[in-house]
Amino acid sequence: MTTIAYDPKEKKIAIDSRGCLGDMISTDSSQKWIEDETGIYFTSGVRPDSYALIEGIKAEAVQLESIKEFSATVLHVKDGSVYLYSFQDNNFIYHEEITNYEFRGFGSGGDWAVAANDFGSSVKDCVKYAITRDHYSGGKVSVYDVDSGRFIK
């Protein structure tokens, strides 16, 4: 799993780098985003499901029969806007453009990131806090600036 935090006021996304196979940590240096000509996609959940969801977003038609567990959340940054895609119960795909100013947390550590934000933490520190509580999150925290379209330190 993972922790993704999005602060719409600051227009910054933070994400951890831990990769797991079931309950086993496989790496703390996983890149959990894909960037191409259609934007940048930040992923959480089962990797094949995330890839299938991204391919469906690009094709504007998600092929659910190729997905086994239906466990994926994707934030898609395109032209300065952030879109949320998520598999829900009964193969329903939730989709919205995030236009309000409410802090959001996604993935297995998402609730911990939101809790840290309640105490005024930056988006990066929110993910760092989630890492202390969620064993599926860990490694380096990367921060992406939506307005500049690049990763920042």
Side-chain angles (χ1 to χ4, degrees):
M1 296 302 209
T2 207
T3 300
I4 302 173
Y6 175 51
D7 185 342
K9 291 178 188 170
E10 298 290 325
K11 294 202 80 174
K12 290 183 176 50
I13 297 169
I15 190 166
D16 75 296
S17 61
R18 175 163 288 169
C20 296
L21 295 169
D23 288 332
M24 183 184 78
I25 298 167
S26 60
T27 183
D28 270 340
S29 58
S30 178
Q31 180 175 309
K32 297 181 178 180
W33 63 85
I34 296 169
E35 190 168 11
D36 66 17
E37 68 281 350
T38 64
I40 186 165
Y41 301 85
F42 295 90
T43 66
S44 172
V46 177
R47 197 166 287 236
D49 294 358
S50 296
Y51 293 157
L53 183 53
I54 290 168
E55 290 306 312
I57 294 165
K58 291 179 185 181
E60 298 181 7
V62 177
Q63 301 298 316
L64 293 176
E65 63 273 4
S66 66
I67 302 166
K68 303 296 182 220
E69 294 183 37
F70 303 103
S71 178
T73 298
V74 171
L75 287 185
H76 179 204
V77 179
K78 179 181 176 182
D79 301 325
S81 295
V82 179
Y83 302 89
L84 167 65
Y85 295 85
S86 182
F87 285 119
Q88 303 288 319
D89 296 331
N90 301 322
N91 302 337
F92 175 75
I93 299 172
Y94 180 79
H95 167 240
E96 74 167 304
E97 179 179 1
I98 301 176
T99 57
N100 64 24
Y101 291 105
E102 187 176 317
F103 184 92
R104 305 276 187 103
F106 307 98
S108 56
D111 290 344
W112 295 111
V114 171
N117 180 259
D118 289 344
F119 290 93
S121 295
S122 69
V123 69
K124 183 174 188 173
D125 287 341
C126 288
V127 174
K128 284 183 174 182
Y129 176 70
I131 286 170
T132 69
R133 296 290 181 208
D134 175 43
H135 67 279
Y136 293 111
S137 298
K140 179 184 173 190
V141 177
S142 298
V143 178
Y144 183 81
D145 184 286
V146 173
D147 285 335
S148 70
R150 62 185 172 86
F151 284 92
I152 58 175
K153 293 186 178 191

